[in-house]
């Protein structure tokens, strides 16, 4: 199964819409609720990152019997130092993002905790690609 | 503890999810930071927060949290209530501070997450 969702940068009123859709799909597929929670928490953090930092993004989701692979591709400022961005507490979020309850430098570490595989590639002034893989039988 | 008791103790107002008043709750987590809420793994959790916006509801949806109390006189907007109803989330508005609300619920036996 393949799904795609567009994400608008800066629009917090729609942030989480894709994660919400995926949660409904996984429930219908009778995926273990604990695995659903891990997947949607990781995706929601990544979706909020696009809204908070990028101009536009697309989420590609592939589901098979073994795993769920999610690829988030955004057009945005990119991440100059991914290792630094992965550190707990490091954030470049704006004041408006913090007002929404985010931007504490916890998103990327939490995505890592809630996925089995995480790959981040980024090019400054071009964009960032995040790949999350969760195995359904782990 | 039953949600109905929580509402009485806090002299609070239920704004969505009235059908959950007889549900029980065991744990409580108090935070205005949704990034923190997203790291909590405990089930059957009551969220106390002073952050009243759509992302509070979305965060709860993703974290399987079905009970939220807004403290410090924060009000849920119509859009928040609509999203909460769609996800069967109970919303309660309380005039007390986060500290006072936490103290009352802790004294009444709700457990901390850690």
């Amino acid at each position: 199964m393949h799904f795609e969702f567009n994400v608008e940068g800066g629009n917090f009123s729609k942030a989480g819409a894709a994660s919400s859709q995926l949660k409904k799909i996984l429930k219908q597929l009778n995926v273990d609720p604990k695995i659903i929670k891990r997947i949607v928490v990781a995706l929601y953090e990544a979706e909020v990152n696009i809204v908070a930092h990028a101009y536009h993004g697309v989420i590609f989701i592939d589901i098979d019997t073994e795993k769920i692979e999610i690829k988030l591709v955004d057009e945005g400022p990119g991440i100059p130092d991914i290792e630094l961005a992965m550190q707990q507490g490091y954030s470049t979020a704006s004041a408006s993002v913090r007002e929404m309850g985010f931007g504490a430098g916890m998103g990327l570490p939490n995505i890592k905790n809630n996925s089995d595989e995480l790959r981040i590639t980024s090019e400054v002034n071009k964009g960032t690609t995040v790949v999350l893989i969760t195995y359904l039988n782990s | 503890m039953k949600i109905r008791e929580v509402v009485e103790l806090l002299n609070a107002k239920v704004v969505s999810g009235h059908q959950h008043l007889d549900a029980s709750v065991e744990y409580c987590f108090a935070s205005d930071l949704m990034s923190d809420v997203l790291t909590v793994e405990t089930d059957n959790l009551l969220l106390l927060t002073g952050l009243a916006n759509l992302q509070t509801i979305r965060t709860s949806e993703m974290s399987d949290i079905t009970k939220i109390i807004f403290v410090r006189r924060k009000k849920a907007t119509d859009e928040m209530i609509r999203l909460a109803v769609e996800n069967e989330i109970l919303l309660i508005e309380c005039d007390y501070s986060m500290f006072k609300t936490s103290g009352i619920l802790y004294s009444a036996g709700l457990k901390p997450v850690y």
Side-chain angles (χ1 to χ4, degrees):
Chain A
M1 285 174 148
H2 179 80
F3 302 93
E4 288 184 24
F5 300 97
N6 283 298
V7 182
E8 207 179 314
N11 188 351
F12 263 97
S13 69
K14 287 186 186 163
S19 307
S20 180
Q21 284 298 312
L22 181 63
K23 185 171 186 182
K24 289 182 178 80
I25 291 164
L26 296 179
K27 270 187 179 173
Q28 281 175 355
L29 293 172
N30 283 322
V31 174
D32 180 340
K34 284 193 188 311
I35 294 178
I36 293 179
K37 184 175 169 181
R38 290 188 78 222
I39 293 168
V40 299
V41 164
L43 175 57
Y44 179 56
E45 293 269 24
E47 190 180 348
V48 166
N49 275 348
I50 293 179
V51 176
H53 298 286
Y55 317 128
H56 173 257
V58 183
I59 301 173
F60 304 90
I61 300 172
D62 285 287
I63 306 173
D64 62 31
T65 52
E66 284 181 12
K67 66 180 189 303
I68 296 179
E69 183 165 339
I70 303 172
K71 185 157 87 169
L72 302 98
V73 181
D74 76 43
E75 294 162 16
I79 306 172
D81 186 338
I82 293 172
E83 205 177 316
L84 182 62
M86 286 298 296
Q87 284 181 15
Q88 185 117 11
Y90 179 82
S91 178
T92 58
S94 65
S96 61
V97 171
R98 291 171 200 267
E99 278 169 16
M100 299 304 291
F102 298 97
M106 297 171 69
L108 289 177
N110 202 27
I111 291 172
K112 195 176 179 187
N113 284 342
N114 282 288
S115 52
D116 295 325
E117 286 178 33
L118 168 64
R119 290 194 295 271
I120 303 173
T121 50
S122 190
E123 204 173 319
V124 173
N125 294 327
K126 199 163 179 194
T128 300
T129 297
V130 175
V131 177
L132 307 169
I133 297 174
T134 306
Y135 293 97
L136 296 173
N137 303 309
S138 57
Chain B
M1 186 189 298
K2 292 255 196 272
I3 293 297
R4 192 178 296 281
E5 295 172 59
V6 169
V7 173
E8 281 170 17
L9 281 169
L10 300 175
N11 196 21
K13 182 184 167 197
V14 179
V15 291
S16 90
H18 295 76
Q19 70 273 27
H20 301 303
L21 278 174
D22 286 316
S24 293
V25 66
E26 190 177 358
Y27 292 94
C28 186
F29 188 71
S31 179
D32 285 353
L33 186 63
M34 295 303 106
S35 304
D36 265 334
V37 176
L38 284 165
T39 64
V40 176
E41 292 174 4
T42 311
D43 292 327
N44 197 12
L45 189 72
L46 175 67
L47 173 64
L48 287 191
T49 185
L51 188 81
N53 63 41
L54 268 183
Q55 294 316 309
T56 312
I57 315 294
R58 282 288 187 213
T59 297
S60 300
E61 178 192 353
M62 302 313 154
S63 303
D64 291 334
I65 292 170
T66 56
K67 304 165 188 78
I68 305 172
I69 298 181
F70 295 109
V71 297
R72 300 197 296 267
R73 301 189 188 98
K74 303 296 179 197
K75 304 294 179 203
T77 62
D78 290 345
E79 207 178 358
M80 288 163 65
I81 292 171
R82 186 192 54 73
L83 194 59
V85 169
E86 188 185 311
N87 289 287
E88 296 185 5
I89 294 173
L90 171 96
L91 298 183
I92 296 171
E93 293 172 349
C94 171
D95 286 351
Y96 300 161
S97 68
M98 179 84 92
F99 181 73
K100 183 171 175 176
T101 310
S102 301
I104 290 170
L105 295 180
Y106 185 86
S107 302
L110 278 192
K111 297 176 192 165
V113 171
Y114 49 80

